[in-house]
Amino acid sequence: MLRLTGKKLIALVDEEFEDLELWYPIYRVREEGAEVHLVGPEKGKKYIGKYGVPAEAEFSFEEISAKQYDGILVPGGWAPDKLRRYPKVLEMIREMHVAQKPIGQICHAGWVLISAGILKGITVTSTPGIRDDMENAGAIWKDEPVVVDGHIISARRPPDLPPYGKAYVDALAAK
């Protein structure tokens, strides 16, 4: 039996997501049996990644409830700067945080967690470009490929995807 059979995840999407940072974790959790729903501002809209890979939102933010899901994946790229502007996205992140459900964030995705106000005292990593933002939000920032602090799993950039994918799967399997 696959370790994530029966688990349901949200993968957030918006324009200019980092292609690998969206799709690699999705395929990794699907390999372990998880069901993943792509969730964006508009249901049925195709969002285009920084390098041209499309991702179609199966649901809009307003159509789902974080309570029905076991975890969430936030991609990097420029999408996080857009995603953090939606109150429903911030609400989902806060609900996942309170419920201690795995929250995966890579590269610039930390901006979404910053805007949700959940990083005070949390040890994380990100692209070095937002290190100051992370620390100003109260996070303890480390320059490591992957950092796991409880239910928050963070990574820096695409070369860190293999250990990030494993760490996220391990966290989700443990729930």
Side-chain angles (χ1 to χ4, degrees):
M1 183 164 164
L2 301 172
R3 293 193 299 157
L4 302 182
T5 299
K7 302 279 187 182
K8 273 179 36 177
L9 298 173
I10 296 166
L12 296 175
V13 66
D14 204 337
E15 296 296 347
E16 297 185 86
F17 59 87
E18 206 296 339
D19 307 57
L20 287 172
E21 293 171 358
L22 175 72
W23 287 109
Y24 186 102
I26 287 173
Y27 289 132
R28 184 67 187 89
V29 296
R30 283 179 176 166
E31 287 172 346
E32 292 281 352
E35 178 181 348
V36 182
H37 294 151
L38 276 82
V39 181
E42 284 181 56
K43 176 182 182 172
K45 181 176 176 180
K46 279 192 181 157
Y47 295 91
I48 306 301
K50 286 172 53 178
Y51 303 105
V53 177
E56 185 173 328
E58 298 165 281
F59 296 95
S60 72
F61 302 139
E62 301 302 324
E63 291 180 289
I64 62 155
S65 167
K67 291 175 179 66
Q68 299 170 330
Y69 290 85
D70 300 296
I72 192 165
L73 292 164
V74 186
W78 302 124
D81 192 34
K82 296 169 182 62
L83 291 167
R84 68 183 179 166
R85 301 173 196 199
Y86 295 99
K88 181 68 174 175
V89 168
L90 302 182
E91 177 186 315
M92 282 189 278
I93 295 292
R94 288 185 198 112
E95 284 181 27
M96 292 279 180
H97 182 62
V98 168
Q100 303 285 291
K101 294 178 180 179
I103 298 171
Q105 62 120 76
I106 184 167
C107 200
H108 286 83
W111 278 337
V112 178
L113 281 66
I114 288 168
S115 293
I118 67 165
L119 290 182
K120 187 170 179 72
I122 304 292
T123 303
V124 293
T125 194
S126 67
T127 179
I130 67 166
R131 175 185 181 166
D132 291 347
D133 301 329
M134 302 290 268
E135 290 178 337
N136 289 335
I140 301 153
W141 190 88
K142 295 191 178 231
D143 187 11
E144 297 176 5
V146 176
V147 173
V148 177
D149 189 343
H151 62 286
I152 298 178
I153 301 90
S154 57
R156 298 175 302 192
R157 55 184 74 93
D160 303 326
L161 282 164
Y164 170 64
K166 181 183 181 325
Y168 189 82
V169 166
D170 290 347
L172 195 56
K175 282 303 268 176

